[in-house]
């Protein structure tokens, strides 16, 4: 369980980091952020990057602030930074609640939000959150900087639109309007384990009707996504158990579930059906 | 492969060591600094036996490379006791049978120390959630929770 040898780089500026990555990316040189996914896969020799570019000393990447209605999350912002009270409003409450489902405390002190998006594990809570809120990712390389909408970002299991020579320098999430209700539920076999299905909902209730619902599934398919059909069904409906059940049934029927040796696709469908009403109940509690 | 001269600061002491970049912090603490209190169970972040405190935060020492810890204040289980006087957590683990074989103990002690220093009045539910970060194959956890609760009370009273 020892990683294979690599050459270590510790740039102090983002320009130096992208220049280095540009040089070593063709040989599978990689960025190391929190290391909480990369170091285990290196220990298992599932990855043997000959170069690691450590971004943990680059000034400015630890920025976590709001500007013009967007939350901006730099590449060094750790999971633990989203603790209760760190960010105001419904977005802050949602992020603090979701964060508690990611691994365990000593992993959250190192692992990063942007690293989770770069890694793109289907079971990543932050990937589901970024999809739910229609986030935007900022990627930088020697070619310059570009923005990628999360909607266009995920391509397959652990495969994204991020190029090997690009560093994800920042993730941006549009802030939810005041009064937005949020709910997040996941199922995993033990607390702290990777989830095998999750449902994230946000909505407002005006005059007894559902307004601007977002319905997102994660962990159940190759990557997280909003389900437009479920959102259409919810819009204008009454916020009650009958609605939540119909939404859960529809989501389950729309699923293209992941299957593996222990978890069948049918089981994942059942989980989504069961989790949806719970997420809504949590939002409306 | 090239080795690098690096300096680690552990428990207030300086260690000048020479390591390959691929050497984990946990291995460097044990092999190069001679601090074998930090244990390795799984070597991939799951068990928590290697938990230490880095710049005030609890971390998995198996998931950092030693070279990344240059300039970081590290604390390991060897730094808990003051001379012959055990840390309140260590005493409480003995008194409440918070250990049997002791393999997981350094990780639990550092996990608990890191958490209590930040939040001495931590609630029961949150404490259980945090202690669930680490694995113990012997005690069944109840006595670990009791020990940490008792130590928290004593540390609070001493303040
Ligand atoms: C025991 C355990 C349990 C876990 N449970 C969960 C869980 O329940 N849910 C969950 O979501 N995660 C879980 N994780 C993973 C954890 O959240 C990681 O922190 C996260 O997946 C990756 O973030 P990182 O900063 O650690 O990235 P790293 O491990 O440093 O990198 C991961 C990958 O992303 C690339 N990368 C990282 N940052 C960037 C960047 N800024 N630009 C370009 N590429 C980049 C790296 O090159 C690498 O390929 C768990 C980890 C452990 C050890
Ligand atoms: S040895 Fe580090 S978590 Fe198991
Ligand atoms: S005391 Fe034996 S593993 Fe915890």
């Amino acid at each position: 369980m020892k990683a294979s040898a690599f050459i270590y780089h510790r740039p102090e500026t983002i320009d130096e980091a992208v220049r280095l990555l540009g040089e070593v990316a063709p040989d599978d040189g990689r960025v190391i952020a929190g290391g909480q996914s990369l170091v285990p896969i290196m220990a298992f020799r599932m990855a043997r990057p000959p170069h690691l570019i450590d971004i943990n000393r680059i000034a400015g990447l630890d920025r976590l602030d709001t500007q013009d209605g967007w939350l901006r999350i730099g590449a060094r912002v750790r999971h633990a930074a989203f603790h209760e009270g760190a960010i105001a409003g419904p977005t802050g409450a949602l992020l603090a609640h979701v964060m508690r489902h990611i691994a365990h405390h000593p992993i959250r002190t190192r692992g990063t939000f942007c690293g989770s998006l770069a890694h793109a594990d289907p079971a990543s809570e932050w990937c589901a959150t970024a999809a739910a809120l229609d986030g935007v990712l900022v990627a930088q390389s020697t070619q310059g900087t570009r923005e990628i909408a999360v909607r266009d970002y995920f391509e397959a299991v652990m495969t994204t639109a991020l190029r090997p020579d690009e560093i994800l320098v920042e993730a941006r999430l549009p802030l939810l309007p005041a009064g937005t209700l949020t709910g997040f539920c996941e199922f995993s076999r033990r607390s702290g384990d990777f989830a095998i299905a999750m449902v994230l909902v946000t909505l407002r209730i005006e005059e007894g009707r559902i307004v601007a619902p977002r319905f997102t599934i994660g962990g159940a398919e190759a990557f997280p996504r909003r389900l437009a059909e479920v959102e259409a069904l919810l819009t204008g409906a009454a916020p009650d158990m009958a609605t939540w059940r119909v939404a859960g049934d529809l989501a389950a029927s729309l699923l293209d579930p992941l299957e593996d040796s222990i978890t069948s696709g049918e089981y994942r469908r059942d989980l989504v059906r069961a989790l949806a009403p719970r997420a809504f109940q949590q939002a409306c509690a | 492969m090239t080795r690098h001269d690096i300096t680690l600061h552990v428990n207030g002491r300086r260690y000048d060591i020479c390591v390959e970049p691929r050497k984990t912090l946990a291995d460097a603490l044990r092999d190069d600094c001679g601090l074998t209190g930090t244990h390795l169970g799984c070597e991939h972040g799951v068990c928590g036996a290697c938990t230490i405190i880095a710049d005030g935060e609890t971390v998995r020492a198996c998931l950092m490379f030693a070279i990344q810890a240059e300039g970081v204040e590290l604390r390991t289980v060897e730094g808990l006791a003051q001379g012959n006087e055990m840390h309140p957590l260590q005493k409480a683990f003995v008194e409440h049978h918070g250990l049997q074989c002791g393999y997981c103990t350094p990780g639990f002690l550092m996990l608990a120390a890191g958490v209590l220093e930040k939040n001495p009045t931590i609630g029961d539910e949150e404490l259980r959630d945090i202690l669930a970060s680490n694995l113990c194959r012997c005690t069944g956890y109840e006595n670990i929770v009791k020990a940490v609760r008792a130590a928290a009370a004593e540390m609070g009273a001493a303040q």
Side-chain angles (χ1 to χ4, degrees):
Chain A
M1 291 285 293
K2 308 293 175 195
S4 60
F6 59 85
I7 297 168
Y8 177 73
H9 307 268
R10 189 160 60 208
E12 286 182 4
T13 65
I14 191 70
D15 289 339
E16 197 190 339
V18 293
R19 183 184 57 74
L20 280 166
L21 186 61
E23 284 169 17
V24 302
D27 302 321
D28 195 31
R30 296 197 202 188
V31 166
I32 180 164
Q36 305 299 291
S37 291
L38 185 56
V39 180
I41 59 181
M42 286 174 68
F44 284 118
R45 302 274 175 125
M46 279 152 56
R48 304 156 169 251
H51 293 264
L52 282 191
I53 298 169
D54 188 344
I55 61 170
N56 286 290
R57 303 285 168 105
I58 300 176
L61 291 184
D62 53 355
R63 185 171 59 194
L64 175 64
D65 59 17
T66 54
Q67 198 185 325
D68 304 327
W70 289 76
L71 180 66
R72 301 188 307 172
I73 306 162
R76 282 174 51 196
V77 174
R78 317 282 173 191
H79 306 324
F82 297 91
H83 60 82
E84 220 145 314
I87 299 150
T91 310
L94 173 66
L95 294 172
H97 175 64
V98 170
M99 183 269 280
R100 297 181 66 93
H101 294 82
I102 303 174
H104 297 287
H105 182 72
I107 289 151
R108 297 178 202 144
T109 59
R110 296 283 304 165
T112 64
F113 188 99
C114 289
S116 296
L117 274 124
H119 192 57
D121 191 297
S124 158
E125 286 85 355
W126 288 146
C127 289
T129 309
L133 301 185
D134 284 318
V136 170
L137 307 177
V138 183
Q140 191 170 335
S141 71
T142 52
Q143 321 282 307
T145 298
R146 65 177 181 132
E147 293 186 0
I148 312 169
V150 172
R151 207 180 308 115
D152 308 321
Y153 176 71
F154 299 110
E155 294 178 348
V157 172
M158 290 175 160
T159 308
T160 71
L162 194 71
R163 293 196 316 258
D165 67 334
E166 284 179 316
I167 298 183
L168 192 51
V169 289
E170 187 172 290
R172 296 184 186 150
L173 302 176
L175 296 174
L176 293 164
T180 304
L181 307 173
T182 64
F184 174 83
C185 281
E186 70 172 40
F187 183 83
S188 55
R189 293 187 193 276
R190 287 167 299 260
S191 88
D193 266 17
F194 286 97
I196 48 183
M198 57 182 94
V199 172
L200 193 162
V201 298
T202 77
L203 69 159
R204 294 201 307 280
I205 298 174
E206 287 173 12
E207 290 164 16
R209 299 280 145 188
I210 299 168
V211 175
R214 289 164 186 261
F215 185 97
T216 308
I217 44 139
E221 296 188 347
F223 50 85
R225 63 175 174 129
R226 287 175 64 182
L227 297 181
E229 296 89 334
V230 177
E231 294 174 358
L233 176 141
L234 289 164
T235 305
D240 57 24
M241 198 48 169
T243 303
W244 311 147
R245 288 227 176 86
V246 179
D249 287 342
L250 179 57
S253 74
L254 292 168
L255 212 63
D256 177 16
L258 286 172
E259 293 193 73
D260 55 57
S261 54
I262 13 182
T263 310
S264 68
E266 273 320 296
Y267 186 54
R268 281 203 163 85
R269 239 185 253 287
D270 280 346
L271 285 175
V272 167
R273 187 179 290 118
L275 288 170
R278 290 185 207 169
F280 284 114
Q281 279 180 306
Q282 197 189 82
C284 299
Chain B
M1 205 63 200
T2 328
R3 302 213 286 167
H4 296 258
D5 291 316
I6 64 167
T7 302
L8 295 183
H9 293 271
V10 194
N11 304 324
R13 240 191 88 183
R14 187 190 154 114
Y15 293 83
D16 295 307
I17 61 174
C18 186
V19 294
E20 277 187 69
R22 65 171 169 158
K23 189 157 214 170
T24 66
L25 178 55
D27 282 340
L29 287 168
R30 293 177 56 83
D31 304 349
D32 301 273
C33 304
L35 297 169
T36 52
T38 299
H39 290 174
L40 281 157
C42 68
E43 294 185 278
H44 64 279
V46 175
C47 74
C50 67
T51 307
I52 62 163
I53 299 178
D55 280 342
E57 301 285 1
T58 53
V59 300
R60 303 289 207 224
C62 71
L63 296 188
M64 272 179 86
F65 295 110
I67 199 165
Q68 296 187 283
E70 278 186 293
V72 176
E73 283 302 327
L74 303 170
R75 288 167 54 204
T76 64
V77 71
E78 288 89 348
L80 281 184
Q82 300 293 316
N84 286 331
E85 183 64 16
M86 281 196 292
H87 187 279
L89 273 165
Q90 291 172 307
K91 280 189 230 163
F93 267 64
V94 174
E95 278 158 24
H96 296 271
H97 302 284
L99 67 152
Q100 287 180 30
C101 80
Y103 199 81
C104 68
T105 313
F108 270 103
L109 288 171
M110 298 316 285
L111 176 69
V115 166
L116 292 184
E117 283 166 12
K118 288 213 151 170
N119 186 1
T121 57
I122 187 167
D124 272 328
E125 202 185 328
E126 205 183 339
L127 180 64
R128 278 177 175 271
D129 188 51
I130 295 226
L131 293 177
S133 307
N134 288 13
L135 297 177
C136 172
R137 301 309 292 160
C138 301
T139 63
Y141 303 99
E142 283 305 325
N143 288 345
I144 293 178
V145 178
K146 270 187 216 157
V148 176
R149 266 277 149 248
E154 198 194 317
M155 287 159 74
Q159 272 175 2

